Amino acid sequence: MITIKEQKNLEDLIDTFPVMNQLRTDLDKDTYLKYLDEMIKQGYKVFALYNDGNIMAVAGVIILTNFYYGRHVWVYDLVTHSDYRSNGYGEILLEFIHKWGEENGCKIVALSSGLERKDAHRFYEKKMGYEKPSYVFKKEL
């Protein structure tokens, strides 16, 4: 049975680490929890998709407002456990995020995806109907 639940307590957040770490491979558990503490204070939320009690996919999102998207959901993280990809879990979780965003007054869901993640780009554009309106730039300080 598939369920999606916001991870609110420390134990649930710790349970998401093994899946999130498949996307954010540079994080160790302590750094993950330290960043989570700060991010949650800023409004970041973690949702996990469970199948028969096991976490299959995780999403980290926040509601933001800016001039170009207005009030929107920004998806910082979306990852399906590597053993269970191509089973529809990412699609189910992202559709949940779309509905959650609408329920919270958002008209857009936006995200950024690394240039090397070609399979993810195909998923977002072909399967989920996302468009690619811009590039994201960064500069390390």
Side-chain angles (χ1 to χ4, degrees):
M1 179 173 158
I2 292 176
T3 58
I4 297 172
K5 167 177 125 171
E6 183 180 348
Q7 308 298 92
K8 292 184 179 181
N9 66 51
L10 183 59
E11 183 179 317
D12 288 343
L13 290 165
I14 290 170
D15 288 346
T16 65
F17 177 73
V19 177
M20 185 70 82
N21 192 231
Q22 292 178 14
L23 176 66
R24 306 294 178 208
T25 57
D26 57 322
L27 293 178
D28 59 42
K29 190 185 293 186
D30 290 337
T31 304
Y32 177 66
L33 293 173
K34 180 178 131 191
Y35 287 172
L36 265 177
D37 182 55
E38 190 170 332
M39 293 164 64
I40 288 169
K41 290 174 185 170
Q42 297 170 7
Y44 180 86
K45 297 184 180 305
V46 178
F47 293 98
L49 182 147
Y50 291 82
N51 190 4
D52 291 329
N54 298 307
I55 296 176
M56 299 289 132
V58 175
V61 304
I62 192 168
I63 294 177
L64 300 171
T65 303
N66 58 33
F67 293 123
Y68 49 94
Y69 292 146
R71 183 175 170 86
H72 65 283
V73 177
W74 182 262
V75 180
Y76 281 110
D77 314 288
L78 178 66
V79 58
T80 298
H81 190 292
S82 61
D83 292 342
Y84 304 104
R85 293 193 180 135
S86 300
N87 286 304
Y89 297 124
E91 181 178 359
I92 293 167
L93 186 52
L94 196 51
E95 289 289 354
F96 171 88
I97 298 301
H98 295 169
K99 184 176 179 193
W100 177 81
E102 284 183 297
E103 290 169 355
N104 284 278
C106 299
K107 303 250 187 265
I108 290 177
V109 174
L111 55 86
S112 173
S113 180
L115 294 172
E116 73 284 354
R117 300 193 67 232
K118 304 287 186 204
D119 290 340
H121 302 166
R122 248 188 324 279
F123 168 73
Y124 295 129
E125 290 178 306
K126 305 287 186 217
K127 188 148 192 125
M128 301 304 298
Y130 279 64
E131 58 186 79
K132 190 173 12 177
S134 67
Y135 289 97
V136 174
F137 294 92
K138 75 172 191 173
K139 179 178 175 128
E140 293 195 29
L141 304 176

